[in-house]
Structure formats: structure tokens, C-alpha cells
Amino acid sequence: MARKRTPKQTTPTETPAPVQPESEPQLAEPASTAVLEQPALEPMEQQPSFVERIQQQRGRTVAADPFGIAGDYEAGVRLFESRRNRFMAIKFEEKPSPEVLDLVKSTGYRWNSRDFMWTRPIEPDSAMTTRIEAERLYQEVRTLVRQAKGIDAGQEIPF
């Protein structure tokens, strides 16, 4: 059986207009008193991105990638690891001597022209060994660069 529909109320309820004194001329009242306001736009740099909002909700922070493991800023040598791209990297501030470059090449590092650093992939079966070898190579390279620049041994920067 079909239900009977009741007609919707089509006539708006009207409220009586306030009575104005006879001495003042009557002006036409506006149809609506609502004013359309534009929402205030915040600058784009103050609004967090989607990823930042999720990180704030979860309370997690994301480490930089590649992240620095060790660095000798006097000698201009730094050691990095990228967990996202799975590689170890050595970066020089200035071009090192050919002796240093030969040592880096002989241990399996290749020049990455996009990031301007020497990189070596981390294989899953030998990840810890690769990291240990990278730290040893960093110490050797750091010593050679310090000797070439004439910098005394000084204080070492721990890992």
C-alpha cells in the first residue's frame, strides 16, 4: 500500500514589522539582515601539511634521511646513513687528495653526483658489517684529510 504524503508547508511564516513613529519617513527594509563574510585565509606556511598533522596526532617524529652518524667539521668529512635508500655515504666539504679517493673507491664506494657524496649500498645479509666497515673507513679518511690539511689530532668527535 502506498503511503499518503502530506504536503510541505509552502508559505513562510511572516513576522510583523516593527511600528515606526509617524514623524520619521519610512525607509524600505532590506530583504535579509545576514551578511556574507569571506572566511579569513591563513597563510600557507602556517597550515601544517597532511603528513605533519598525522605526525602530531600520533606523536611521532621523523628523523632526517640520510642522517649523520659522525662528522669532523675541521677536516670537512662526514659519515651518513640512509635507511630509506639503504646506503652508507661519506661526504667531503672540499675535493680530497687522490690518495683518499683511491682508498674510498677501493672499498666499494661510488660517486653520487646528485647528492655530491660517495655512497655504498647496504646489503640486507651484511648490513652490520657494512656499517662497521664504513665507520672504520671514515676514521682512516678523516686521519688522512687531517694530515693533508696540517690539522693536529685534537679532540675526536665520538660516534
Side-chain angles (χ1 to χ4, degrees), residues 111-125:
W111 177 247
N112 182 338
S113 60
R114 187 185 75 186
D115 298 324
F116 299 107
M117 54 178 69
W118 291 88
T119 61
R120 179 178 177 187
I122 298 174
E123 301 297 330
D125 57 337

Side-chain angles (χ1 to χ4, degrees), residues 95-145:
K95 185 174 181 178
S97 66
E99 179 184 69
V100 173
L101 291 179
D102 289 340
L103 177 63
V104 171
K105 288 179 188 177
S106 68
T107 55
Y109 284 78
R110 298 292 171 245
W111 177 247
N112 182 338
S113 60
R114 187 185 75 186
D115 298 324
F116 299 107
M117 54 178 69
W118 291 88
T119 61
R120 179 178 177 187
I122 298 174
E123 301 297 330
D125 57 337
S126 62
M128 188 57 70
T129 305
T130 304
R131 290 182 180 101
I132 292 169
E133 289 172 357
E135 291 174 8
R136 286 184 185 152
L137 176 66
Y138 164 77
Q139 292 296 336
E140 289 178 44
V141 167
R142 179 183 153 278
T143 304
L144 290 173
V145 171

Side-chain angles (χ1 to χ4, degrees), residues 3 14 17 25 31 34 36 50 61 81 90 92 111 114 127 131 137 145 150 154 157:
R3 273 179 65 180
E14 296 180 15
L36 179 64
F50 175 76
T61 58
E81 179 180 355
I90 295 180
F92 299 97
W111 177 247
R114 187 185 75 186
R131 290 182 180 101
L137 176 66
V145 171
I157 298 175

Side-chain angles (χ1 to χ4, degrees), residues 23 37 80 126 156:
S23 61
E37 294 181 13
F80 295 97
S126 62
E156 290 187 26

